[in-house]
Amino acid sequence: MRAGLIVALWAVAAILIVSLVVLPISLQAHLVAGLTVVACMIIIKFFRAQGIWRQIALALGTAIVLRYVFWRTTSTIPPITELANFIPGFLLYLAEMYSVMMLFLSLFVVSSPMPSRKAPQIDPHNLPTVDVFVPSYNESAELLATTLAAAKALTYPDDKLTVWLLDDGGTDEKCSSQNAIAAQQARERRAELQALCAALDVRYLTRARNLHAKAGNLNNGLEHSTGDLVAVFDADHAPARNFLAETVGYFTADKNLFLVQTPHFFINPDPLERNLGTFQTMPSENEMFYGVIQRGLDKWDASFFCGSAAVLRREALQETNGFSGVSITEDCETALELHSRGWKSAYVDKPLIAGLQPDSFASFIGQRSRWAQGMMQILRYKFPPFKRGLKLSQRLCYMSSSMFWLFPFSRFCFLVSPLCYLFFSLEIFTASGGEFFAYTFTYMMVNFMMQNYLYGRYRWPWISDLYEYVQTIYLLPAVLSVIANPSKPTFKVTSKNETMDESRVSELGTPYFIIFGILLLGVVATGVRVWAEPYKADLTLVTGAWNILNLVIAGCALGVVSERATRRQSHRVRVERPCRFVMGDEIIDAVLRDVSVGGARLHVPPSVEPSLKKGASGTLEFQPFANLPIQHLPVEIRKVGMDDDGLLLGCRFMIEKAEHRKMIADLVFANADQWSEFQKNRHYDIGVLRGTLWFFMVAFYQTGRGLSYFLGLQRIGRSSPPAPSVAAAVK
């Protein structure tokens, strides 16, 4: 009875929405209706109404979106007899319909995401064995030492835990390369990492040949290990001590579970955050995915493996002969295969690792190109909508995840469409300026409100547009190439821990300045057309406004590709931890204020005489979270300063043995709560209006900064090679 009533209510609601969509009303009535819906959504948002009220707000927004789609489909496409207008007009229409489709898929996925889970209790007498895999290709020993030391410190019985370094940079194939220098470097790397693993009590494993990239490396690890579960951490992803305590219990509670995925938390800003200076205040790009989308996917049992910070069941992997390696995104492909076989996944909404993002814009684009091409390979080879074994909800979820990477096509159409009219008088939109404004304005307002409802605390207005624009220039040809030849892409490791010795324009930056110049000419063309054709002024002004929006985004992108110099070798994390500084017979009580894998800053009370000098050596003592054999680190004072509260000491760690690396890992990475706290401080809803004003101010400033770099105030160059000391934490 109740189910039938619910179906009837949904049917009535659908009929009402369809009636509203196709109802013939005047332009003024549509504008009033659209603004009324926006007002209702604002009121509901203001009172923070959830549950049914949230669904009502999204349904009202959906009605306006559908009305816009109906208008665009029936009234605005140029006649097919006018090919010069029809072709670009129809391409723009397809781009808009793609955006609407992705909006509706997003509504399905995240309109009511899974709430945060509480980890099931673990039976200490019936614990599964766990193999920890740290795959590596070209990462430095310093970086690997930090991750391996953190993995060894995981809270889990020693006889149930085995940590493996899977080295693909020292394979037999590389060690016997025809290139004598490359072969020598591979042999030296193998010897260095074998010694590191022996010191840290970690198993070293390599293989004969570098087949199937990361997937092949992981499968080689599976062949040589026996653990019931497999935890995977990228070389730069150091886990907190409680990682297994927060994840293993799900596998004992559900025997059909193949995956527990956790968020990727990054301790350094990506190039956009670093160059715009938003890392401390604005939610990171990946937080929308890990904070909302993965929880939405989890509701439909479609959260997928993200390559690291995850635990998988060996029994499930054996069904698919290990990790899938057809595409270069082996993580999502593996999850797709296992979901289609009836296995389940779970997502834990708590950052339990800290990793590194690409520092340079070029590395960022290289990483995103690999993701986009890998997802296109999955679309070509697996085609999730028709994948046998998936439930309908899972098909829609994988469709959303993979088709998202087609955004370069729609973004390119939105960029060039207004120029088609301003430069070439192509009428790709058969509507008056008033109609264009009334329908498009209400559609955009509702779209912004719906995005704010879905992602408000995790994504600020216009930021998605900026990220998509800066990627489109290079992802569009990358996606086209994989569509034409899906077997062409190869796996490339993303560069990490780069440093910028000088401020400069990225080596990939030139196209962005060219596009900015073209859009600027579009502004000039707008003024000329208004003066020459005043009878078309309404349409010209609306189209010109569209071009100006593109110009604002393009101007902000100039700041993104203008790389700021970063001379700090290691990223710091703020802490508040008591310690003692020992120098000879003198023992000084102090407080750790921030730490990194390279050093720490100490605050010494004002009662202490400032007799400490730069270059002096001493020992830092503190109480570690783990039960370590030693509790002190040798340090050298590199900087001495003062503030109102006392003396500040900048110290560098003097690493002499493996136990010191374990101490550093404990100091920097052991406590996962610091990552959650850092994210919470950035998770606030700035609102559509305030967010728009903020973005426009940032864009204005970054346009000027980017142009100053380009006009010779800074030199175009390449980033310097990775520094010897490896980074890892937050400031």
Side-chain angles (χ1 to χ4, degrees), residues 122-133 154-164 203 222 225-232 244 247-249 251-252 255 311-315 317-318:
I122 302 177
D123 181 2
H125 304 292
N126 189 29
L127 287 174
T129 54
V130 179
D131 286 309
V132 175
F133 289 170
L154 289 168
T155 305
Y156 212 72
D158 291 340
D159 61 334
K160 299 281 188 177
L161 178 67
T162 306
V163 180
W164 298 78
R203 295 194 184 185
L222 287 175
S225 59
T226 59
D228 302 317
L229 304 176
V230 175
V232 180
L244 293 179
T247 55
V248 168
F251 291 95
T252 59
K255 299 300 181 183
V311 185
L312 300 98
R313 191 187 296 272
R314 179 182 296 271
E315 179 188 351
L317 291 170
Q318 289 172 341

Side-chain angles (χ1 to χ4, degrees), residues 668-683:
V668 181
F669 299 107
N671 181 17
D673 292 338
Q674 60 192 344
W675 317 131
S676 298
E677 188 64 27
F678 180 76
Q679 287 185 330
K680 287 178 182 177
N681 290 335
R682 300 187 301 185
H683 287 173

Side-chain angles (χ1 to χ4, degrees), residues 624-641:
F625 291 101
N627 184 20
L628 298 178
I630 62 172
Q631 298 181 4
H632 60 270
L633 273 171
V635 298
E636 177 188 12
I637 298 176
R638 302 292 294 173
K639 187 177 181 180
V640 180

